[in-house]
Amino acid sequence: MPKTAKRNSDHAQRHNTPSINNEAISQQLEALLTPAIFAQQKYYKQLGLRDRVLNLSLMVAVVLTLLWRQVPGVQELTRLLAREDLLWCRATKIAQKSLSERFLVFPSELFERVFKDLIPQLHLHWQQRLRRPLPDSIKFALKHFDQIWIADGSTLEALFLKLKSLEDLKTGQLAGKICTVIDLVTRLPIEVWFHTNPAASETNFELPLLNLVSAKTLILLDRGFYHFHFFQQLIDKEVHFITRLKAKAAIKYLKIFSYDHLVKDRLIQLGTVRRGAPVLTLRLIEIKVGKTSYSYITSVLDPQILPPYAVADLYGRRWSIEEAFYSVKRLLGLSYLWTGSINGVKLQVWATWLFYAVLVDLGDAVADELSLPFDRISLEMIYRGLYHFSVAYDKGNADDPVQYFAAKENQDLGVVKSLRKPVSKLDLSPFPAPS
């Protein structure tokens, strides 16, 4: 029997019609983004760009419409723009070729700057919401750290084109790699970097990451960043990290903090003096869950600052960045690239993470309204539920998406995730199994 070709779930068949417009959502997007767009007008002119029809304001509007209304391509987007007001922009007739070519050349750094102007505003929203509880491990870590970040990379898979101007370009080629930093506390994206080589190692992003982090940051790292020189540079900046231990590591045990069959917490020296690599003094925490053991290393040497079970729980929350990649690639369509140009790919990357940040802000508002942890809220179901809100809004039965998703009668939309098992209290004792 012939083998079935392996299917990439990032490229599942998408629908072919845009979702309906909604005035309430449009107004919220306009209120959030208009100040950030206006702030870039001076830079827009510094780039020598004319105040033409396809200007910054219209480009942000059409790109966000492409995302939140799930428009299947630029051809359909051109039809929409000719017939409907898109967010804050009036209906405008534009040739499809002109719009396609604009995606190729419109400076991606303008979207980057809008994104970076928006994030502090969304962070302020997060600070003003006080009913949404934080996980115990995060609350404990925030006593000693100003911020808890996650860094990881993800390949932009095969190139799926949306632009008519690129019909002859070969599809299926890899389109590069992104590295993203997410704030574990707020779940907002902090920074995004793009590398043209899809096979690029995470080590290519070490320098920009070092330039980004500041003292009293705790960062959760994938093993792609497992590099002793990089670890030492973080420590020198008073930045601490948690990552997984690699197999066959050269370890010298220095001190025992806790030791039994469920938890082992020891001070170690990691590495050997070889090829100039530093020997690091770290903590090794080994946690047994059922029949499986997990090994973590951290530069936080004092268990009273970061207890062993807090280390394990925090690193488990590193999965949040995988959920973010899932959202931007599959839900918001970053696996379906609109253009083959490097500038165009960057434009889509920044626009997609910008809209993802807006979606996180909405999810956090719903969590706060329900007094639930953010982890209990499904961003995917909120995004899919925008259609149902729009229908209710048109019937006069809803006017606020937060209130709509929090309403008891709408819990069948799946916005609140079901608990798979009861939440147990986290052991935050520094020495759960004293030696």
Side-chain angles (χ1 to χ4, degrees), residues 27-191:
Q27 288 174 351
Q28 290 199 15
L29 287 171
E30 182 176 357
L32 275 175
L33 290 164
T34 299
I37 294 169
F38 183 77
Q40 301 311 317
Q41 291 298 334
K42 183 177 180 181
Y43 183 72
Y44 180 85
K45 292 178 180 178
Q46 286 176 352
L47 293 176
L49 299 173
R50 292 178 291 132
D51 195 18
R52 54 197 290 178
V53 175
L54 288 169
N55 57 22
L56 174 61
S57 180
L58 189 139
M59 286 299 292
V60 174
V62 298
V63 168
L64 287 179
T65 299
L66 199 64
L67 290 167
W68 88 266
R69 292 183 60 185
Q70 305 174 62
V71 183
V74 175
Q75 184 178 48
E76 186 63 31
L77 183 63
T78 308
R79 294 170 183 155
L80 278 180
L81 185 57
R83 291 165 174 80
E84 299 181 28
D85 296 344
L86 300 186
L87 298 176
W88 48 83
C89 291
R90 303 302 295 264
T92 307
K93 282 197 173 184
I94 295 175
Q96 181 182 328
K97 182 179 179 182
S98 298
L99 187 56
S100 294
E101 291 176 349
R102 192 64 165 158
F103 274 106
L104 297 176
V105 299
F106 191 83
S108 61
E109 62 262 36
L110 284 165
F111 275 79
E112 176 183 355
R113 291 169 70 97
V114 170
F115 167 86
K116 290 182 176 177
D117 270 1
L118 177 65
I119 292 302
Q121 184 182 348
L122 299 185
H123 194 271
L124 182 61
H125 290 180
W126 183 90
Q127 290 176 323
Q128 293 169 342
R129 297 175 186 134
L130 304 176
R131 290 176 293 184
R132 162 251 308 113
L134 289 175
D136 290 342
S137 61
I138 292 178
K139 283 192 294 185
F140 191 93
L142 287 175
K143 295 177 183 178
H144 304 282
F145 300 98
D146 292 340
Q147 52 215 8
I148 308 169
W149 289 353
I150 315 169
D152 200 3
S154 182
T155 301
L156 297 179
E157 306 285 354
L159 184 62
F160 278 62
L161 303 174
K162 283 194 173 190
L163 303 188
K164 190 174 181 61
S165 60
L166 297 169
E167 283 179 339
D168 296 330
L169 189 63
K170 181 182 177 182
T171 60
Q173 65 195 66
L174 294 175
K177 189 166 188 175
I178 53 173
C179 180
T180 304
V181 178
I182 298 283
D183 188 324
L184 177 61
V185 183
T186 66
R187 300 301 176 87
L188 292 169
I190 302 297
E191 183 60 274

Side-chain angles (χ1 to χ4, degrees), residues 7-21:
R7 182 184 182 188
N8 187 335
S9 51
D10 281 351
H11 302 145
Q13 183 65 40
R14 308 189 70 192
H15 63 83
N16 295 314
T17 56
S19 59
I20 58 177
N21 189 25

Side-chain angles (χ1 to χ4, degrees), residues 346-364:
K346 287 182 178 180
L347 186 151
Q348 184 180 356
V349 166
W350 283 112
T352 307
W353 281 107
L354 187 154
F355 186 74
Y356 173 78
V358 173
L359 191 60
V360 168
D361 183 63
L362 176 57
D364 187 63

